[in-house]
Amino acid sequence: MAAQEGTMRSIRLEKEGSADNLYTVTEPIPSAQRGEVVVRVKASSLNFRDLAMLKEEYPGGMKPDLIPLSDGAGEIVEVGEGVRRFQVGDRVAGNFTKEWFSGRRPTYTEPYGSHSDGWLTEYKVMNPELLVEVPDHLTFEQAATLPCAGVTAWNALHGPSPLMAGDTVLTLGSGGVSVYALQLAKQLGINVISTTSSNEKAKKLKELGADEVINYNETPNWGEKAKELTGGVGVNRVVEVVGPATIQQSLKAVAPGDELSLIGVLSRTGDKIDYFDLFGSASTRTIGVGSRQDFENMNQVIADKNMVPVVDSVFPMDQAAEAYRYLDSQKFFGKIAISHD
């Protein structure tokens, strides 16, 4: 197809520190070279890492003046010579990293939005091998939430020892990864115990299928409560999205020999653990999102079950700063998306 003509909007982050450092630029629409495609980006979504970068708390740091956001979805509008994986009109989302296609995680992976331009733009040139087709029933805003939160949750439930129907997983809170883990687990026949901070969010979690919900403000010792709800055996997996503030309770909840999937750095302070807290307890596995194969496997289940990701709010592209501030408020349930139309 002929190259797109004209200009496009991109939002760049001048430097870390504040959403006020986001600025809009007008740039030429890129063209596809051999082996490339151009995606008309229809939507993007926010993750905690995007906020961490803004606050200068992201472990890997970020380069100045980059286009932020690792997650986006859109439609292919131009296909370069030699491309056979996709054609014009295909609906796609980007893989979180550039190097991880299947199998074990490579030693080095580069996500978008921190060291190379991300998805907060109207058009993006991509290697088609870094894209996946998205389920037909999803809107672009819903599809844009898949790459990080969705694949992370999928990996947490699977990995080297996949959970089976009848197993029990504990999810923490109502952010993107936790809600995805709940939804995906229920599609797979896995029992879910969820924690939350309010009765209003507890109701929403139950509506999504949570078998049990623990209000951690009312039950501070929620780890033992979760274990009690399994008949004293313990849960088979904890999707640990918080960090030091919750790790002790997570260890109390999990059955000996089962797994803590370590994902979050939402907190940096909390109870310390030592060798004997882990001895004879659960195994741990650090989750670094997942591979393209994980993404495609997840999408098969989402498409087969007509599962709809939970999108709390959609902001227009020119209100990206407000979307960041809403993420920082912690008042949302599920995911926050940005529409590029």
Side-chain angles (χ1 to χ4, degrees):
M1 182 178 177
Q4 304 295 304
E5 296 181 354
T7 59
M8 66 177 189
R9 290 178 302 160
S10 297
I11 295 179
R12 294 184 176 274
L13 182 60
E14 180 182 9
K15 58 182 179 180
E16 299 165 307
S18 167
D20 294 331
N21 294 329
L22 293 166
Y23 65 96
T24 302
V25 296
T26 301
E27 302 173 318
I29 295 175
S31 298
Q33 304 301 310
R34 179 178 176 83
E36 296 178 336
V37 299
V38 175
V39 179
R40 169 67 171 98
V41 184
K42 297 286 191 174
S44 54
S45 75
L46 288 160
N47 296 289
F48 176 75
R49 74 182 288 269
D50 302 306
L51 186 63
M53 281 187 279
L54 205 67
K55 293 183 173 183
E56 302 180 75
E57 296 174 353
Y58 186 63
M62 67 165 290
K63 293 182 180 179
D65 295 303
L66 281 183
I67 297 172
L69 305 190
S70 60
D71 292 15
E75 180 181 348
I76 292 179
V77 294
E78 183 188 351
V79 173
E81 182 183 353
V83 172
R84 293 181 294 275
R85 181 171 168 82
F86 294 109
Q87 60 187 3
V88 170
D90 284 346
R91 290 159 32 95
V92 296
N95 200 43
F96 181 76
T97 64
K98 294 182 177 182
E99 295 86 3
W100 195 0
F101 296 101
S102 64
R104 296 184 63 179
R105 184 182 180 184
T107 303
Y108 175 80
T109 58
E110 181 182 315
Y112 292 97
S114 55
H115 293 78
S116 59
D117 283 337
W119 285 84
L120 195 50
T121 183
E122 292 183 315
Y123 291 86
K124 187 168 179 61
V125 173
M126 292 289 294
N127 178 336
E129 297 298 326
L130 304 177
L131 298 170
V132 301
E133 195 166 2
V134 298
D136 291 338
H137 71 284
L138 299 185
T139 67
F140 284 112
E141 290 77 15
Q142 292 162 349
T145 70
L146 296 169
C148 182
V151 178
T152 297
W154 178 266
N155 191 0
L157 298 174
H158 288 79
S161 300
L163 291 178
M164 307 293 288
D167 285 341
T168 300
V169 62
L170 173 64
T171 66
L172 309 185
S174 54
V177 173
S178 296
V179 172
Y180 257 116
L182 163 57
Q183 289 186 281
L184 290 167
K186 297 312 297 180
Q187 306 304 326
L188 300 168
I190 298 165
N191 301 314
V192 180
I193 301 173
S194 298
T195 70
T196 189
S197 60
S198 72
N199 293 329
E200 179 185 356
K201 289 183 176 180
K203 181 180 178 182
K204 292 180 179 179
L205 291 166
K206 292 287 284 188
E207 289 171 351
L208 287 174
D211 298 279
E212 302 284 351
V213 180
I214 305 168
N215 185 323
Y216 58 76
N217 285 328
E218 297 175 354
T219 309
N221 201 3
W222 48 265
E224 288 192 0
K225 179 63 177 177
K227 188 171 186 178
E228 177 187 317
L229 291 170
T230 65
V233 176
V235 301
N236 304 106
R237 190 149 306 171
V238 180
V239 181
E240 175 51 84
V241 298
V242 180
T246 54
I247 189 68
Q248 285 284 7
Q249 290 298 318
S250 292
L251 284 167
K252 291 180 181 180
V254 70
D258 280 314
E259 183 181 291
L260 291 179
S261 294
L262 303 180
I263 297 162
V265 290
L266 291 175
S267 76
R268 293 182 176 274
T269 59
D271 295 331
K272 295 183 182 295
I273 59 173
D274 62 27
Y275 174 80
F276 290 102
D277 292 317
L278 298 175
F279 189 80
S281 182
S283 63
T284 62
R285 179 167 64 99
T286 302
I287 308 295
V289 190
S291 67
R292 189 186 74 182
Q293 186 66 61
D294 290 325
F295 201 164
E296 292 172 333
N297 291 346
M298 177 189 72
N299 282 350
Q300 279 190 302
V301 171
I302 289 173
D304 181 65
K305 303 295 185 180
N306 282 311
M307 188 189 115
V308 178
V310 177
V311 177
D312 178 285
S313 301
V314 178
F315 289 80
M317 191 173 174
D318 60 4
Q319 292 181 20
E322 284 74 12
Y324 272 89
R325 294 185 185 104
Y326 186 51
L327 177 65
D328 196 23
S329 76
Q330 296 292 306
K331 294 178 180 178
F332 60 94
F333 183 97
K335 293 291 294 179
I336 299 167
I338 295 174
S339 173
H340 295 209
D341 285 334

